[in-house]
C-alpha cells in the first residue's frame, strides 16, 4: 500500500475524511456525548417516572415508581433536586401492552410526618391489603421509611401517622420469602443519609467512609405480621468478594450505594443494588434472606443520567428488568421507566444488560 503522502489527491482526501471522522467519534465517545440507541422505550411519556419496583398481583403487572418533576432546585450531591411530592402507580396486563397511569396514589400533604422528597417506593400484598412503603424526609430533614395501606393495588393509600419505628435512610425493597415472611431491605449513602446511622443513632455530622475503610452495608429487617413495624433491629447485609472479603469504599464499582432489590431464582437469593457514583446495577448471591451475599457481577451497565435503579420480576415464566434512564429529558432528575427481558446462564449467573446498542 502507498504511504498517504504518495496517494493521488482524491484518494488522499478520502483517507483524510475517514481519519478525521474516526477521531471525532472517539473524542465524542470519550466525552460521553455519543448518541446511543436505547433497547427499550419509556413506558409512559406524559409524566416523568423513576425507580420502578414492579410486582405481579392477581396476574396483573403493577409498577411502583418515583414521580419525578421539575421543582427548580439546583443539582447537588445530596440529591436536593429530587424533590418529588407524590406517587402514581402504573399498571399493565402484559409486557408490551397498554400502560395505565392510575393517578395520584399518595400525596405528601396526606403524610402527617413527611416534610419533603418522596423517593423510591416499593409495595407488598398480604391478606387482602396492599402496602406502599416509601422513604421521605421528616420535618427535621431526616429520611425515614413510611407505610401506607389500601384495598386496591393502585391506591389511594392511607399513610400511617408516623414512619416505621427504627427505620431510616431510603429505598425500601419488601421481599416475601418462600415461608411467607416479609423482609425489608433498605439504605442509601450520600443524600440517602445511611452514613449518618453507623451507631444506630442519627448523627448529622457523620462522614462517609474513606477509601481504605469497609464500605457501608445496606440493612435488612424482618417485618411484623401487621407489615407496619420491624420485628428486630435492622441488620447489616454483608456483600463480599469470592474470597468472603467485604468490599472497601475504594471498590466503588462493586460496593453498595443504594437501590436494593431482592429476588430468588432456583432456590438462591439474589441481592441486587446500585453502585451510585460508578452507576452499575450489580448483584450478589446467597443462601438466606439475611446473607451473606457473594458478589457475582453486573446486571445493568450505566444508563443515561446519574442514577441507576431497578427491579427484577418473573412474569409468566420470563424474567424482566425494570429500570430507568433519562431518554425523554436528558436531565438526571427527570427520568423515565422502562422494561427489558433478563436472562440467566445455566449456572444461575445473570447475563449483563447494556441498555443501548
Ligand atoms: O429517586 C431518588 C433517588 O434516586 C432514589 O431513591 C435512588 O435510588 C436514586 O434512583
Amino acid at each position: 500500500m502507498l504511504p498517504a503522502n504518495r496517494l493521488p489527491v482524491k484518494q488522499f482526501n478520502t483517507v483524510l475524511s475517514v481519519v478525521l471522522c474516526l477521531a471525532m467519534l472517539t473524542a465524542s465517545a470519550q466525552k460521553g456525548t455519543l448518541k446511543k440507541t436505547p433497547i427499550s422505550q419509556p413506558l409512559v411519556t406524559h409524566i416523568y417516572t423513576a425507580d420502578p419496583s414492579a410486582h405481579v398481583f392477581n396476574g396483573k403487572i403493577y409498577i411502583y415508581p418515583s414521580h419525578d418533576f421539575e421543582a427548580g432546585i439546583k443539582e447537588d450531591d445530596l440529591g436536593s433536586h429530587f424533590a418529588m411530592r407524590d406517587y402514581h402507580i402504573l399498571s399493565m396486563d402484559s409486557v408490551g401492552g397498554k400502560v395505565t397511569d392510575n393517578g395520584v396514589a399518595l400525596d405528601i400533604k396526606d403524610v402527617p410526618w413527611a416534610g419533603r422528597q418522596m423517593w423510591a417506593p416499593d409495595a407488598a400484598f398480604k391478606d387482602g391489603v396492599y402496602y406502599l412503603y416509601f422513604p421521605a424526609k421528616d420535618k427535621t430533614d431526616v429520611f425515614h421509611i413510611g407505610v401506607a395501606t389500601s384495598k386496591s393495588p393502585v391506591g389511594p393509600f392511607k399513610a400511617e401517622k408516623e414512619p416505621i419505628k427504627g427505620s431510616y435512610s431510603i429505598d425500601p425493597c419488601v421481599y416475601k420469602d418462600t415461608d411467607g415472611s416479609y423482609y425489608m431491605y433498605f439504605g442509601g449513602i450520600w443524600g440517602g443519609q445511611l452514613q449518618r446511622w453507623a451507631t444506630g443513632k442519627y448523627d448529622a455530622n457523620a462522614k462517609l467512609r474513606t477509601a481504605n475503610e469497609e464500605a457501608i452495608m445496606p440493612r435488612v429487617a424482618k417485618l411484623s405480621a401487621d407489615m407496619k413495624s420491624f420485628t428486630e433491629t435492622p441488620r447489616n447485609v454483608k456483600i463480599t468478594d469470592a474470597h468472603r472479603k467485604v468490599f472497601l469504599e475504594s471498590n466503588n464499582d462493586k460496593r453498595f450505594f443504594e437501590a436494593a432489590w431482592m429476588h430468588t431464582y432456583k432456590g438462591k437469593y439474589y441481592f441486587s443494588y446500585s453502585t451510585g457514583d460508578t452507576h452499575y446495577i450489580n448483584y450478589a448471591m446467597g443462601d438466606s434472606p439475611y446473607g451473606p451475599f457473594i458478589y457475582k457481577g453486573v446486571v445493568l451497565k450505566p444508563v443515561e443520567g446519574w442514577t441507576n435503579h431497578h427491579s427484577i420480576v418473573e412474569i409468566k415464566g420470563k424474567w424482566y428488568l425494570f429500570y430507568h434512564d433519562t431518554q425523554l429529558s436528558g436531565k438526571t432528575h427527570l427520568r423515565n421507566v422502562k422494561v427489558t427481558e433478563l436472562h440467566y446462564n445455566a449456572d444461575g449467573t445473570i447475563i449483563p444488560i447494556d441498555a443501548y446498542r
Side-chain angles (χ1 to χ4, degrees), residues 77-97:
D77 278 352
L78 294 180
S80 307
H81 46 309
F82 296 104
M84 297 84 96
R85 302 192 57 84
D86 64 16
Y87 294 109
H88 284 227
I89 291 147
L90 309 177
S91 56
M92 53 191 187
D93 290 326
S94 59
V95 172

Side-chain angles (χ1 to χ4, degrees), residues 50-51 66-68 79 82 84 118-121 135 143 170-172 187 192 257-260 274 306-310 324 332 335:
D51 309 323
S66 299
H67 175 198
D68 287 355
F82 296 104
M84 297 84 96
M118 292 177 111
W119 284 11
F143 266 118
I170 60 164
D171 290 3
F257 188 104
E258 62 187 3
S274 167
W306 197 94
T307 65
N308 205 348
H309 195 116
H310 74 301
H324 67 222
T332 273
R335 300 160 289 180

Side-chain angles (χ1 to χ4, degrees), residues 49-68:
T49 53
D51 309 323
S53 292
H55 292 273
V56 177
F57 294 134
N58 288 321
K60 199 167 165 136
I61 305 163
Y62 296 92
I63 304 155
Y64 297 82
S66 299
H67 175 198
D68 287 355

Side-chain angles (χ1 to χ4, degrees), residues 115-162:
R116 63 180 181 132
Q117 292 182 300
M118 292 177 111
W119 284 11
D122 193 17
F125 174 69
K126 186 183 172 188
D127 300 336
V129 180
Y130 293 88
Y131 297 85
L132 179 70
Y133 297 93
F134 59 96
K137 280 184 179 163
D138 67 12
K139 307 225 156 107
T140 65
D141 249 9
V142 178
F143 266 118
H144 292 283
I145 295 166
V147 56
T149 53
S150 175
K151 287 281 180 195
S152 159
V154 297
F157 284 88
K158 182 156 178 40
E160 295 294 300
K161 288 196 172 57
E162 301 285 340

Side-chain angles (χ1 to χ4, degrees), residues 1-5 7-25:
M1 206 163 90
L2 282 173
N5 62 357
L7 284 175
V9 174
K10 203 170 158 203
Q11 280 183 34
F12 177 72
N13 283 344
T14 311
V15 170
L16 193 64
S17 330
V18 170
V19 169
L20 279 176
C21 203
L22 280 174
M24 280 163 68
L25 280 172

Side-chain angles (χ1 to χ4, degrees), residues 185 218 237-242 245 247 254-256 260-265 268-275 281-299 310 312 344 348-350:
Y185 299 85
V237 177
K238 207 167 164 187
I239 306 168
T240 75
D241 66 15
K245 210 169 154 290
F247 290 120
K254 299 202 173 54
R255 62 95 169 91
F256 173 84
W261 188 257
M262 169 59 65
H263 77 281
T264 43
Y265 176 76
K268 291 279 183 194
Y269 292 82
Y270 290 65
F271 180 79
S272 44
Y273 56 96
S274 167
T275 63
I281 298 292
N282 285 346
Y283 73 106
M285 287 167 63
D287 294 312
S288 140
Y290 288 116
F293 299 99
I294 300 177
Y295 176 81
K296 292 290 171 182
V298 171
V299 175
H310 74 301
I312 296 171
Y344 297 86
T349 54
I350 291 173

